[in-house]
Every structure is written in C-alpha cells, then in structure tokens.
Amino acid sequence: MNPAKAGWLSKVPEVTLSFWVIKILSTTVGETGADFLAVDAGFGAGWTSIGMALLLACALFFQMRKAAYSPWIYWLTVVLVSIVGTQITDIMTDMLDISLYVSTAVFSVLLAINFLLWFRVEHTLSIREIDTPRREFFYWTTVLCTFALGTAAGDLATEALGLGFTLGVVIFGALIAATLLAWRLGGNVVLMFWLAYILTRPFGASLGDLLTQAKTYGGLGMGAAWTSAIFLSVIVLLVVVAQVSVGNRKTVIQ
C-alpha cells in the first residue's frame, strides 16, 4: 500500500510545530471564549454550556463522518471541546461549589480510566493510528478529559494555591519544555505526547487569564473579547494554511 495513502486515512493531523501552536491557542480561546460568552456577552454559564455542547455535538458528527483528516472540522471540534471542557469545570466550581482539588482528582481518574479502556481495547494510545470509529471515539473522549482536567489543574495552581497567572504560565511552560527534552532524550513518544497535550491546557488557561484579567488581579487587562478575537484569527489563518496543504497533498496522491 502506498504510505501516503495509508497516512491519509488518519483522522488527526501530524504532530508538528503548527499542531502545538494551534493547540495552545485553542486552549487559550477555550478559557477566554467561555468567559466572554458567559460573562461579557451575558449568556451565563448554563446557556453557554448548553449552546457550546450542541455545537460540539454537531462538529463531532461531521468530524466522525469524515473519511480522513480535515483541518477545518478537526480544529473547530478542538476549539469547541476546549470551551465545553472549560465550562464543565467552571460549572462544577462556581455553580456546584465543588473544590478544585476534588474536580482535579475526579478528572484525573476519568482520564486514567479512559486511557486504560482505550489501551485494553485497541492495544495502542498512539494518535498516528486514529483510523477507526472506535479509536476516534476514545480519542475525543480523552481530549475532552484533558481539557476539563487542564482547566481544573490550572485553576487549582493559579488560584487555589495562589501561584498567580504569570507564575502559572512559567511553571506549566517549563513542564512542557521538560517533556520536550525527555522526548528528545529518548522518552516514550506516546507518553510524552499525552503529557505535553495535557500540560498545554493549564498553560493555555493560565496564559488566557494572564492576558484577560484586570491588572488589579495580576493580569494584563486585554479583556476576553480582544484576546479571543486575536487568537481565533491566528487559528483561522493556520487552519487555512493546513487546509490548503491537505488539498495539495490529496491532489498529488490522486
């Protein structure tokens, strides 16, 4: 079988610098976008969660129907998962008054269970092999868990533990760098990928809070609307480039 055609069946993008840039931007948009819709736009956490969950369901429907990786629908789904994951944690914390320690522990257990089931059924956790509906189901449930966990862990570190937004960005950024170094030194590729994937969520959330929160609260005061608009614009630009690249690749293969 032609390797290019075999790779074309994958439902997720290759892990490149562009992948990580869009991933981090989408995590930040998840934080700032959720805040903008719930607070600035006045929809509230409940209606924002319902609306975003419905949009996510639609995006997942089209994503699952695709026979191969499509940048625009894939990254739209990631952004929506980011917002929904943020809202799940925010509802647990703000509306249900569940401690961030508890929510972080709960999402950690759920993520571990999901990984265990995924590996037990498919014998792999590699995103290079997301080429069946069942594997894709495990993939997206894992992604949702990582976003919810990352939100809870990020809030726990920056707010409950009092580290602050700037220090949160530095700490989580350093952990991501350490993961990259471990990979370069021969660490398990799949393990290092998922560690980095999980860590980019609290990093992005801390970055989002740093940019949007008022200066009196330790932020830069850019506001959720402007931050979301800027980051979304960059995401759209990078996704357009990816979409064109995929289209060119498909033409060459044919």
Side-chain angles (χ1 to χ4, degrees), residues 67-81:
Y69 167 59
S70 176
W72 76 268
I73 188 61
Y74 173 86
W75 286 112
L76 173 62
T77 305
V78 170
V79 170
L80 290 171
V81 168

Side-chain angles (χ1 to χ4, degrees), residues 4-16:
K5 288 187 177 180
W8 180 245
L9 295 177
S10 178
K11 297 294 294 292
V12 300
E14 295 180 5
V15 181
T16 62

Side-chain angles (χ1 to χ4, degrees), residues 170-248:
V170 172
I171 290 175
F172 289 117
L175 289 173
I176 293 171
T179 303
L180 174 61
L181 178 61
W183 168 69
R184 296 286 293 181
L185 293 176
N188 182 273
V189 174
V190 175
L191 175 60
M192 293 304 105
F193 168 81
W194 283 113
L195 284 176
Y197 199 93
I198 293 169
L199 288 168
T200 53
R201 179 62 185 108
F203 174 80
S206 299
L207 178 61
D209 285 335
L210 175 64
L211 294 173
T212 60
Q213 294 298 317
K215 294 180 180 180
T216 53
Y217 294 105
L220 299 179
M222 288 180 59
W226 277 108
T227 303
S228 299
I230 293 171
F231 278 42
L232 271 175
S233 297
V234 177
I235 290 174
V236 169
L237 177 61
L238 292 175
V239 170
V240 167
V241 172
Q243 191 71 50
V244 171
S245 177
V246 167
N248 291 338

Side-chain angles (χ1 to χ4, degrees), residues 79-112:
V79 170
L80 290 171
V81 168
S82 179
I83 295 175
V84 171
T86 299
Q87 284 302 108
I88 290 173
T89 301
D90 287 348
I91 288 175
M92 291 177 66
T93 304
D94 300 332
M95 299 180 66
L96 302 180
D97 200 28
I98 296 175
S99 167
L100 286 169
Y101 292 95
V102 174
S103 58
T104 300
V106 168
F107 289 129
S108 296
V109 171
L110 289 176
L111 180 60

Side-chain angles (χ1 to χ4, degrees), residues 113-126 138:
I113 291 173
N114 196 76
F115 274 135
L116 180 63
L117 291 174
W118 184 357
F119 188 79
R120 184 179 180 86
V121 173
E122 298 294 341
H123 308 293
T124 180
L125 298 177
S126 174
F138 279 121

Side-chain angles (χ1 to χ4, degrees), residues 138-152:
F138 279 121
Y139 174 78
W140 286 112
T141 54
T142 299
V143 169
L144 180 58
C145 285
T146 64
F147 275 104
L149 171 60
T151 301

